Amino acid sequence: MRFIDKFFKNELAIDLGTVNTLIYQPGRGILLNEPSVVALDRYDGEVVCVGHKALKLLGREPRGIEVHRPIHSGTIYNFEVTRKMLRKFIGQVTDGIRFGHFVVGIPGSATAVEQRSVRDAAHDAGGRRSDLVDEGLAAGIGAGLSFDDERAHLVVDIGGGTTNIAIVASGGVVSSTSLQAAGNAMDESIRDYVRSNYCLQIGEYTAEALKRELGALSDDDIPSDERKIQLVGKQLSDGFACAVQITAEEVREALEPTINEIVTGIRRVIEDAQPEAVADIYYSGMILTGGGSLLKGLKSRLQSELKLRATVPEDPISTVVMGAGILLDQPDHLYRCAIRPNLPVWQEAEELVVSW
């Protein structure tokens, strides 16, 4: 009976990210890696397309179509749209089969309302049971940390909407926090710089492409002949197109406030940690994961600022979903690591005030 139950037991690990959604199934690997974008029919609300196809419509959508990014800063901004997007993604990898168990990575500092919204979205998308795990812990496990390693490790997961900073030890989270300074904040900083210095308005897609091409924290990270690129934007004065030359130095200047905020956040987590954990981190260093860790020169910058050795996994973008998938294969560890559902209000309140 257990063999039959295991054979038909359907499980998925999901990284419901602000920029990308990844789905992993044990035994099959990563089944989906698509942008967290969905295009809906403006009149009946039906899904037109999701992922890369929907992203191509962003900023140039036809009159009868609305394009949504339903997840902002690591949290669900539009529940109904998120449910439709997630159901469509799951249908693509399962051919409409209703799955039974989802493990979803969320920011460590997610509020009770945010946790409930993720659980509800997973349930409405087809999950009979859903477990939530801290993204920092999942990223560390996906990067190769062992459950039996009692030493503390610092994991910095720089995603699109949030930067999750966690201290992990013995397969659990010692402390965790999330920052709004992440990939989207970098893109917005570039857009603000171009707007204020060139009086040009550029879109999200253009800002991200500019970050990929010229985003570097040192001149040595980009060849001298590739430190300038032509950018076409919309003039604020008359609304017409205008082309300007943007240099890598300007992009670095635009990114500096976000990078400083990430460094400050990591410092704060280390300062608040116990002495034993800080001593372990001195020897183990920090693990950088997420798409933001691919920014040129970021690893060297963090090592120089924090005086810690930094390592980046071979595929830092998939570490969260891979870690959640490893937890799926180990139910005992998943039970210990999963974020528990919230207690009733009268149990979680620090003080009950009664007015007679």
Side-chain angles (χ1 to χ4, degrees):
M1 188 66 181
R2 288 184 178 179
F3 171 77
I4 296 176
D5 179 69
K6 184 176 180 60
F7 184 80
F8 288 101
K9 187 178 181 181
N10 296 313
E11 299 175 322
L12 287 178
I14 303 174
D15 179 11
L16 193 60
T18 303
V19 175
N20 291 299
T21 295
L22 289 84
I23 299 179
Y24 170 92
Q25 184 181 13
R28 297 178 62 189
I30 297 177
L31 307 180
L32 181 136
N33 184 358
E34 295 271 356
S36 301
V37 185
V38 56
L40 302 178
D41 189 287
R42 186 183 297 270
Y43 304 104
D44 59 15
E46 295 296 321
V47 177
V48 177
C49 58
V50 294
H52 290 290
K53 292 182 179 180
L55 182 62
K56 292 179 180 179
L57 298 176
L58 189 64
R60 52 177 75 93
E61 54 267 26
R63 183 177 298 173
I65 295 178
E66 295 178 338
V67 179
H68 297 270
R69 286 186 180 271
I71 304 174
H72 292 180
S73 301
T75 60
I76 293 178
Y77 177 76
N78 189 317
F79 175 80
E80 184 63 23
V81 175
T82 302
R83 182 187 64 82
K84 292 180 179 180
M85 180 187 71
L86 188 57
R87 181 178 287 273
K88 188 69 173 180
F89 280 147
I90 293 174
Q92 289 180 0
V93 301
T94 64
D95 297 327
I97 299 176
R98 188 174 178 85
F99 267 54
H101 185 196
F102 295 162
V103 175
V104 186
I106 64 170
S109 57
T111 64
V113 175
E114 293 164 354
Q115 293 176 20
R116 171 172 286 187
S117 65
V118 174
R119 292 182 192 276
D120 291 345
H123 180 269
D124 290 348
R128 296 187 184 94
R129 173 190 168 191
S130 60
D131 287 312
L132 307 183
V133 295
D134 190 300
E135 286 181 347
L137 174 62
I141 295 173
L145 294 185
S146 172
F147 290 101
D148 300 326
D149 190 352
E150 70 280 359
R151 297 178 303 164
H153 296 265
L154 179 63
V155 181
V156 182
D157 180 47
I158 308 173
T162 60
T163 293
N164 204 67
I165 307 168
I167 297 178
V168 178
S170 300
V173 178
V174 177
S175 63
S176 177
T177 188
S178 297
L179 309 175
Q180 301 295 325
N184 286 355
M186 298 179 191
D187 297 341
E188 192 61 32
S189 297
I190 293 174
R191 296 179 67 186
D192 291 341
Y193 183 90
V194 174
R195 185 186 300 111
S196 60
N197 288 271
Y198 293 95
C199 295
L200 286 180
Q201 184 178 4
I202 60 175
E204 300 176 20
Y205 192 83
T206 303
E208 184 177 0
L210 190 61
K211 180 182 65 177
R212 291 177 182 271
E213 291 290 331
L214 297 182
L217 303 183
S218 172
D219 290 336
D220 298 334
D221 298 317
I222 298 181
S224 57
D225 57 340
E226 299 178 7
R227 295 178 186 173
K228 184 181 293 186
I229 192 173
Q230 179 174 285
L231 174 68
V232 179
K234 176 182 177 181
Q235 293 187 91
L236 297 177
S237 58
D238 55 16
F240 284 90
C242 178
V244 297
Q245 295 286 335
I246 299 292
T247 64
E249 290 78 7
E250 292 177 298
V251 175
R252 182 166 65 249
E253 181 181 347
L255 295 176
E256 194 64 27
T258 305
I259 301 301
N260 286 334
E261 191 172 347
I262 293 175
V263 172
T264 302
I266 299 174
R267 287 185 187 275
R268 190 180 305 118
V269 170
I270 296 176
E271 289 172 358
D272 294 340
Q274 295 293 328
E276 293 294 339
V278 175
D280 289 342
I281 293 172
Y282 176 82
Y283 292 104
S284 61
M286 57 183 164
I287 301 174
L288 302 180
T289 64
S293 65
L294 298 175
L295 182 68
K296 302 180 185 70
L298 179 61
K299 175 183 174 181
S300 300
R301 171 69 175 275
L302 293 180
Q303 288 184 144
S304 175
E305 291 272 355
L306 302 171
K307 309 300 181 183
L308 291 173
R309 177 175 53 87
T311 58
V312 180
E314 183 177 350
D315 185 11
I317 297 177
S318 64
T319 51
V320 172
V321 74
M322 291 296 293
I326 293 173
L327 288 172
L328 270 174
D329 281 338
Q330 304 186 33
D332 293 340
H333 288 113
L334 175 60
Y335 177 79
R336 190 179 63 173
C337 298
I339 299 174
R340 298 288 185 267
N342 299 300
L343 296 173
V345 175
W346 59 86
Q347 292 186 26
E348 68 177 0
E350 295 182 0
E351 183 178 1
L352 181 62
V353 180
V354 180
S355 299
W356 297 96

